[in-house]
Amino acid sequence: MNVVLILLAFWVPGLVFGTAIGLRGWTLAAAGPLLTFGIVALGIPVLGGLGIRWNLLDVALWTVLVALIGFGLGFAVRRFTARRHPDWVADEEKPARSIRDHVLIGLGVAVGMAVGTVTFLRGSHGIDNVQQGFDAPFHGNLVRWIAEHGDARPSTVGTIANLPNQTNYFYPDTYHALLALVFGKGGLTMMPTLNLAVLAVIISVPLGVAAMCRAWNMPPLAVAAAAAVTTWFTAFPYDSLWRGPLWPYVAGVAMIPAMLALAKYLLRPRGIAGPVAIGVGVAGLTGLHTSLVFVIAVYFILILIAVLLRWEKIDWRRSAPSLVTTVVLAVVLGVPLVLPSLYNAGGVTGAYWSSEASVTGGIGETITFSPMADFPQWWIGVPALIGIFLLVKRRRMMWMVGAYIVFGGLFAATVSLETPLIHTITGIFYNDHWRIAALVPLAGAVAFGEFVDTSGHWFARKVGTRVHLKPATLTLVGVLLVGLVLGGLSRGGYIGRNSSRLGINYGNGPTVSKAEEAAYTWLAQHTAPGEAVMNDRSDGSVWMYALSGVTPVEWTFYGADASTKAGYLSVWLDDIDKYPQVRKDLTDLHVRYVIVGKGLVTPDSVRSVGVARVAPGPEFHEVFRNDGATIYQIEGQQGVVTAGASPGSDRPHGQ
């Protein structure tokens, strides 16, 4: 039931809107999540600005409203076009593929989804486990904050970044706002919500690649093979799921194939479907991660170059209105969402990550479609590289080859070179080569599909003179043989390798253990709304709000500024008997308990010294202890308790 709620949240709004504006088939199915994110991104400032609470009902009504507007606009444009250009309307109906083609593509998508699902579930060891990475608690805290406060505008969420009074605070929270709608529904607790959302993103990738390849007229078997292999690459989606985790960024990269499928409507217009869907999609990508706007801009520029070089066909007279409308809508819907991000632009572009490879090593990783891998993924990298040459030979999806050169070259440069130019170009990606690495496998999947399809046809030609079967049947047999061989050599699509990689940050610690989770649960049972708990910035306690609804004093691993009450307490809490300011700040923040956890987010993390030095004594009474955490009640702070809170125990207890 839980996974159904997540899938419905991801797909239903987008499917409703996409159907209303005229999308159909594989493109509609793939664009569902992209359009959902776009609807959410646009709804956040509109509903928030009108004072409408961010909840499931109001967002559903917002979806219906924009779908009705889209339907009405599409109907009007279609009638106008039918009167002025009846030949355009008649030519809009694209020749349908055979049922056999759809079945083959569907099987390829199913394989990709199955490999991705098994890999994720094996790597995460189940949907209830906490992701131990540095960024994970922030994402969880943001989801709960939006769900509880009913406002998803970034300017209202600064508290969870230890910036409660900063009204110009910005973090793209479209991903979190969507999850906040279903969090708590149907028994969905925090980790199943976060983990099932990741799974939904993973299974959207094969669907998106299938829709993209089909839209750009790749052969059915190539489409199926490309979709099947999408979840075999380590660099995307898995590396950015264990490292970070970069959940919103991964979701955005997963939406790129759907956006590229929509781009075909600009060369072959179908009413308002292309311009409106792309405009809303740009809003969605912006709301997920601002850098993705630049990524999709590169793809669209490469498609334009392919058109100008006549590698892709276009009727300029017919496409001109769609092209102009697309640009206008992308600017109108995207720019207002980009502008608030300028608040932290310096922090993003100023980030620094050291090089991790030589120049030849970076190029080698790019050529084998194995960015950041300790050992190349030969069994998909080599076929994909051959497929790149085949795409060039046939002048097929040349813009995708160009994207491979651009993003692959950018990765190779940033992973191996430290120059001002490289830092300037990659600044929108936090100068992080891991993020850029995630952009490389898409071209690899397409090229792999081309290789497999070519191999199947080669097999049919070689065997056809000796076996009396139809060429199409022999080609299918050849494709299956190639797939089985490569699948076997890669040990099931690299499931073991990728699940091990993903599992790096899924386990019983080191940041949060099951014992520490039990301590958070105890706090939830003994604190009241409005009450905060003093905690160490470096242990797993920054998770306690997301997991148990307990408000921490320190919200992030970065820690609060030293000039704030939280920052002061982190240094001087244990000296409560010496400095009156400590008790005053505790009272102002409504703090009665302090938790000291054994977890540590990184081996070299610096603990909050004022919390780390707390020990049982006249000022601190131990009320809970287990293997992972100790909770103290602060003497003299009982007055901060409001109605409904349990005062706790005078003696230690635990499980």
Side-chain angles (χ1 to χ4, degrees):
M1 180 60 181
N2 289 341
V3 68
V4 173
L5 283 176
I6 296 293
L7 294 177
L8 290 175
F10 268 68
W11 263 272
V12 170
L15 291 178
V16 170
F17 179 73
T19 301
I21 63 175
L23 295 178
R24 298 294 184 267
W26 287 100
T27 300
L28 172 62
L34 172 65
L35 297 176
T36 293
F37 286 125
I39 292 168
V40 169
L42 295 171
I44 288 171
V46 173
L47 298 184
L50 294 174
I52 299 174
R53 187 171 180 82
W54 188 262
N55 58 38
L56 191 58
L57 176 60
D58 290 331
V59 174
L61 293 175
W62 164 252
T63 300
V64 172
L65 175 62
V66 295
L68 289 174
I69 293 173
F71 177 80
L73 182 62
F75 180 77
V77 170
R78 191 171 182 84
R79 289 197 63 180
F80 175 80
T81 305
R83 289 197 302 269
R84 296 288 299 272
H85 304 284
D87 54 320
W88 290 6
V89 176
D91 192 44
E92 281 183 2
E93 299 302 324
K94 188 177 179 179
R97 289 185 184 265
S98 67
I99 294 178
R100 173 183 176 275
D101 291 349
H102 287 297
V103 170
L104 290 174
I105 294 172
L107 290 174
V109 170
V111 170
M113 289 181 174
V115 171
T117 299
V118 172
T119 301
F120 178 74
L121 293 179
R122 281 184 58 179
S124 63
H125 310 295
I127 62 172
D128 294 314
N129 287 321
V130 173
Q131 215 281 0
Q132 304 287 325
F134 195 93
D135 297 334
F138 176 83
H139 296 306
N141 287 338
L142 186 48
V143 170
R144 183 183 281 273
W145 181 273
I146 295 172
E148 291 186 348
H149 292 79
D151 194 338
R153 290 175 295 174
S155 60
T156 68
V157 304
T159 296
I160 69 165
N162 286 324
L163 300 169
N165 301 316
Q166 193 155 328
T167 56
N168 66 341
Y169 175 78
F170 177 81
Y171 186 88
D173 64 357
T174 293
Y175 184 81
H176 315 84
L178 177 62
L179 297 188
L181 298 175
V182 293
F183 170 65
K185 307 293 190 302
L188 264 177
T189 53
M190 182 54 66
M191 288 320 303
T193 300
L194 296 174
N195 285 327
L196 288 174
V198 173
L199 185 58
V201 169
I202 290 174
I203 67 174
S204 72
V205 179
L207 188 58
V209 169
M212 176 190 70
C213 293
R214 182 183 181 278
W216 291 91
N217 301 319
M218 286 191 72
L221 291 173
V223 175
V229 81
T230 50
T231 51
W232 298 18
F233 294 93
T234 304
F236 182 82
Y238 308 111
D239 272 348
S240 293
L241 292 177
W242 74 261
R243 180 184 176 272
L246 311 179
W247 287 327
Y249 180 75
V250 172
V253 175
M255 299 300 108
I256 289 175
M259 180 67 96
L260 296 175
L262 293 171
K264 186 66 173 183
Y265 284 109
L266 301 182
L267 278 59
R268 189 182 178 88
R270 185 189 178 98
I272 67 166
V276 172
I278 291 173
V280 173
V282 167
L285 292 178
T286 306
L288 288 169
H289 204 281
T290 313
S291 64
L292 297 169
V293 176
F294 297 93
V295 174
I296 207 65
V298 170
Y299 274 107
F300 275 56
I301 291 171
L302 291 170
I303 291 174
L304 176 61
I305 293 173
V307 169
L308 294 176
L309 294 176
R310 298 184 180 180
W311 291 331
E312 300 289 350
K313 296 179 181 179
I314 188 174
D315 182 340
W316 286 104
R317 178 170 172 268
R318 180 177 173 181
S319 294
S322 291
L323 294 170
V324 172
T325 304
T326 299
V327 173
V328 171
L329 286 177
V331 171
V332 170
L333 299 180
V335 168
L337 300 177
V338 171
L339 291 178
S341 69
L342 298 179
Y343 145 77
N344 194 36
V348 173
T349 58
Y352 173 79
W353 295 92
S354 299
S355 298
E356 297 188 52
S358 64
V359 174
T360 54
I363 294 173
E365 291 175 19
T366 301
I367 289 175
T368 57
F369 294 90
S370 306
M372 305 311 300
D374 295 329
F375 188 77
Q377 292 183 284
W378 294 114
W379 305 116
I380 52 176
V382 172
L385 182 61
I386 296 172
I388 289 291
F389 288 103
L390 293 172
L391 288 171
V392 173
K393 178 181 179 181
R394 291 162 185 165
R395 299 294 188 269
R396 180 178 288 159
M397 292 183 73
M398 288 292 291
W399 52 270
M400 182 60 74
V401 176
Y404 171 55
I405 295 172
V406 171
F407 294 123
L410 190 60
F411 164 76
T414 191
V415 78
S416 60
L417 300 174
E418 300 290 347
T419 69
L421 177 61
I422 295 299
H423 289 167
T424 299
I425 295 174
T426 62
I428 56 173
F429 299 101
Y430 293 80
N431 294 304
D432 183 5
H433 36 267
W434 290 83
R435 296 173 190 255
I436 301 170
L439 304 175
V440 176
L442 178 56
V446 174
F448 182 91
E450 185 72 13
F451 168 82
V452 171
D453 180 72
T454 301
S455 299
H457 283 88
W458 175 85
F459 176 84
R461 289 194 303 272
K462 292 295 182 180
V463 178
T465 57
R466 297 187 294 273
V467 179
H468 300 293
L469 292 173
K470 293 181 179 179
T473 302
L474 290 174
T475 301
L476 177 58
V477 171
V479 166
L480 290 175
L481 289 174
V482 172
L484 288 172
V485 170
L486 294 177
L489 291 171
S490 62
R491 298 185 179 182
Y494 292 103
I495 287 177
R497 170 173 170 165
N498 290 333
S499 60
S500 295
R501 187 92 155 187
L502 188 63
I504 291 173
N505 266 342
Y506 276 97
N508 188 25
T511 308
V512 181
S513 65
K514 295 298 181 183
E516 286 170 292
E517 290 184 55
Y520 310 153
T521 301
W522 187 94
L523 284 169
Q525 297 166 350
H526 293 79
T527 55
E531 182 179 355
V533 173
M534 189 62 212
N535 63 309
D536 188 327
R537 70 178 185 179
S538 294
D539 65 22
S541 58
V542 296
W543 262 109
M544 62 184 172
Y545 177 70
L547 295 176
S548 300
V550 179
T551 302
V553 172
E554 288 280 21
W555 285 87
T556 74
F557 294 123
Y558 294 107
D561 188 89
S563 63
T564 64
K565 291 180 174 67
Y568 182 83
L569 290 174
S570 291
V571 177
W572 303 110
L573 175 67
D574 63 312
D575 289 321
I576 188 173
D577 57 332
K578 297 181 182 179
Y579 305 116
Q581 186 66 39
V582 173
R583 189 170 297 280
K584 182 181 182 301
D585 288 348
L586 288 171
T587 302
D588 290 344
L589 296 176
H590 305 290
V591 176
R592 181 162 51 116
Y593 293 109
V594 55
I595 181 172
V596 182
K598 292 184 179 178
L600 205 60
V601 62
T602 62
D604 56 350
S605 294
V606 178
R607 290 191 178 274
S608 302
V609 292
V611 177
R613 291 194 299 242
V614 167
E619 305 295 344
F620 301 99
H621 303 300
E622 187 178 296
V623 294
F624 178 96
R625 174 186 290 274
N626 65 15
D627 292 338
T630 304
I631 300 173
Y632 300 92
Q633 186 175 28
I634 305 173
E635 179 61 33
Q637 292 303 110
Q638 291 84 351
V640 304
V641 179
T642 57
S646 173
S649 169
D650 293 331
R651 290 177 297 178
H653 64 282
Q655 58 181 38

